[in-house]
Every structure is written in C-alpha cells, then in structure tokens.
Amino acid sequence: MNRFALALSTAIARITESALGPYQSAVVRIGFSATWLLFLLRELPHRQELYGPDGPWSWDLAEQLIAGNGAFTALIWTDGRIWFESVYGLAVLSSALLLLGWRTRTMSVLFMVGVLSLQNRSIFMGDGGDNVLHLMCVYLVFTRCGQVWSLDARRARRENEARARGERVVDRVGPALWIVLGLILIAVTGAGRLLEGDPVIPALLWAVWLGLGVWWTVGRLARTDQPRILLDVIGNIVHNGALLVIMAEACLIYATAGWYKIQGTRWQDGTAVYYPLHLDYFSPWPALADALSSSATMVLLVTYGTVAVQVAFPFTLFNRRVKNVLLAAMMTEHAVIAVVLGLPFFSLAMIAADAVFLPTSFLRRIGGRAARAHARLTAGRGGPAPVPRTRAPEGAEETHVGFTA
C-alpha cells in the first residue's frame, strides 16, 4: 500500500509540477503552423476559388450546411470580399507568428480560428492531412507549446535576467493585445454572430480570453505566491492532458487506418500500393512511380509493411527502442508519399503529429546543433560571441506568468 501511495503521489507531482514534453509540444507547434502557412502561401493565387466568393461551393450553400451542422467559421458572417481577404490574411499572419512562437497562447487561438474558418467554409477542399490539422489546431490551444524554441522563451529568459539585476519589467504588448481582441470578441458576440452555431468554439474563445485576464491580474496583484502557483498547476494539468490527447489521437489514426486496410482485399493480396502509383492525379513523377512499382516483391513488402507498422505502432509505445524504429519508418514513409504521390501537406501534417513521440534527447541534440550553427553564423557576421550557459537539467525549463502561459 505504501508503494502504491508513493507511486501515485509521484505521478501526481509529475503531472502538476511541470508541463511535460516541452520539446515535443514545440515541434508539434512548429510542424502544424508551418504546414498550414505553406499551404496558404501556395494557394494564395487560388484562394478565392478554394474558400472565397468565387468558389464552386457558394456562400449560400455554405450557409445552409453550417445551419445544419453548426460548425464554426467566421467566413459565414458575411460574404464580402474584403472580409474574406481579412480572414485569409489573419490565417497567414497567425500561422507565421505561431511558427516563431510569439505570444503563443494568443496566436494558437487565432491559428485555430483561421483553420476552422477556412476549412469549414469549403469542406470538400480538404484531405486526410486537413482533418488532422483540423483536430490539432484545437488541441494546441490547451498546450504550453512556447516553452522552448520560441520568441516567448527568449523574452521570458531576458525578463528573468532583468529581474535578477533588480530591473522592473513591464509587459505592455500582452495587455494591449488582450484588450483589442477582447473588444472584437465582445462586438462579435453582441452582434449575435458568434453564437449562431455550436457553442463549443465560442465558449473556448471566451474561456481563453477570461483565463488570460485572470492570469495577468494574479501575476500583477497577488501578494503571495500561492495564487500564481495554483494557476501554474492548472496550466500544467491542462497542457499535460492535451499532450496525452494528441498522442492518443495519433495512435487512433494509425490503428484505425491499419485495421481498415486489413479488411481490404488489395491489402490482403499485397497489391494495394501498386494502384495509386499509376493514377494520373497522384503521379507527379511517372518515371519514379514506374520504377518503384516495377518490382512485385517491393510492392508486396511495402504493402504488408505499411499495414504491419500502422497496426503495431500503438502497442510499441511500451518499448522505446521498437517505438523509435517504427516512428522512423513511418516518417520515412510519409516523406516518400510526399514526393512520389505529390501529397506534401498531408505528409507534413502526419509527420508533425508523429513528432509528439520523438525522444527528448534527440530533440535536444537537434536544438543544440541548430543553436551552435546560429552562433557560428552570428560570429561570422561580426556579432557578439555567445556566452556559454550551464545546461539546465531536463524538465527544468522555465515557465512564467504572462500572456504566453
């Protein structure tokens, strides 16, 4: 009984005392924001046909569909061209700022609004990668994905250094951003636009806005550390829960895909991979597709290997080495799909979802090499030489009170 109580208390302390997986959540943030940003930039010349007034899925059809399913989209509030361009521009800007990690909590909310607004406006324009992005943009709102590899982390480090020197630190950008977005949220709600469909997304928007206000107020006015500690514990629990949901979602995607493939006759006889390689729509490089499908043995191995990896992956999470091997195999497979079948954004979305399982040690090495390369580049341009810092123990990444919680 004592062992059980000790194990339980240790688990509770681990969940509440820190936001787990800071590097994994940062990679997920960077991966999905980069995927959406690259997609929006590629489709910039065709944005009106895809999601705007010139599309085959007209505004009247979208209004009828939204009235039935209650999905959230800001593009249904009006069919004006200026409003569409504003929403599209917001989606591009929020994706870029989330990628950089600037005010990550706020940008994650605006990122979600941009993704849902465009995708729910024209639901027939997406594929499997868009479905994954659709789900993950909501989960990212609950994570503290700016702890590392972000402008927020750099600002927090500089603020802590300034406080250590006895300097007074005042954040004016966060409150100003909160006030402006709050006025917009109040105006949209007062006009009755926000509450026309399903109440989940509007309730989430209000909850995040009010939560950030409480967070800032407690950080500025609390006379003791207890209220700040309580809010930090709540933030850690929400983050860890969201990270668990992201992992479960990735496992569910692979498990369902694998088990459905098992039921297909083409997957059973080992020829399923051959057919998409010879579809004109999925053949940007016909010569490469012909070369890959020329060997019956190769087609058989890839077909059975895909099913085996997808079905087995959720069960390999209990063995780190086997999990890492299958994870590398799945990421490689998605990279091949991006090139051979011409599905780059689907593959980027799946690789970003897979990144939640990457080992922390591997991510730290990648981050260290990137930092050293940046330091050498800065020194080569005549910038100041980097000052060596003591490496913090894993899990001791700093958190801070502010609008990037």
Side-chain angles (χ1 to χ4, degrees), residues 307-330:
V307 176
V309 168
Q310 291 182 348
V311 172
F313 179 74
F315 301 100
T316 64
L317 298 181
F318 302 101
N319 189 302
R320 181 176 303 178
R321 293 182 178 179
V322 178
K323 182 263 295 182
N324 291 339
V325 171
L326 292 188
L327 188 61
M330 289 191 301

Side-chain angles (χ1 to χ4, degrees), residues 103-284:
R103 307 285 170 175
T104 50
R105 182 71 75 189
T106 302
M107 289 306 116
S108 65
V109 175
L110 296 180
F111 176 76
M112 177 190 70
V113 170
V115 171
L116 297 183
S117 295
L118 292 173
Q119 289 191 354
N120 289 337
R121 167 62 176 82
S122 300
I123 61 173
F124 299 110
M125 296 298 176
D127 55 22
D130 293 292
N131 294 335
V132 175
L133 181 63
H134 194 101
L135 295 171
M136 295 299 176
C137 74
V138 179
Y139 302 153
L140 275 176
V141 175
F142 297 94
T143 63
R144 307 180 80 168
C145 54
Q147 297 179 90
V148 297
W149 298 345
S150 66
L151 296 179
D152 288 342
R154 186 181 67 173
R155 187 180 71 254
R157 183 172 61 253
R158 291 179 175 178
E159 289 178 354
N160 291 334
E161 293 172 352
R163 292 190 183 97
R165 294 191 300 266
E167 300 176 5
R168 185 168 178 263
V169 178
V170 179
D171 179 20
R172 294 184 176 87
V173 177
L177 193 61
W178 183 81
I179 292 172
V180 171
L181 295 178
L183 292 175
I184 296 175
L185 188 60
I186 293 171
V188 173
T189 304
R193 294 294 188 180
L194 193 63
L195 303 177
E196 290 179 346
D198 188 88
V200 174
I201 298 300
L204 178 58
L205 296 177
W206 272 103
V208 173
W209 184 73
L210 294 174
L212 290 177
V214 171
W215 196 289
W216 183 85
T217 303
V218 170
R220 282 294 296 268
L221 303 180
R223 298 182 178 180
T224 62
D225 292 335
Q226 280 73 17
R228 287 190 289 267
I229 293 174
L230 176 61
L231 290 179
D232 206 43
V233 167
I234 294 174
N236 292 336
I237 294 175
V238 172
H239 165 89
N240 295 331
L243 205 60
L244 179 62
V245 171
I246 292 174
M247 297 171 68
E249 188 71 44
C251 290
L252 184 63
I253 290 172
Y254 284 116
T256 53
W259 286 106
Y260 271 112
K261 286 181 174 66
I262 289 178
Q263 302 175 44
T265 55
R266 293 292 176 261
W267 291 96
Q268 293 175 6
D269 61 25
T271 62
V273 172
Y274 175 86
Y275 297 99
L277 292 175
H278 293 275
L279 294 176
D280 293 337
Y281 188 77
F282 296 108
S283 297

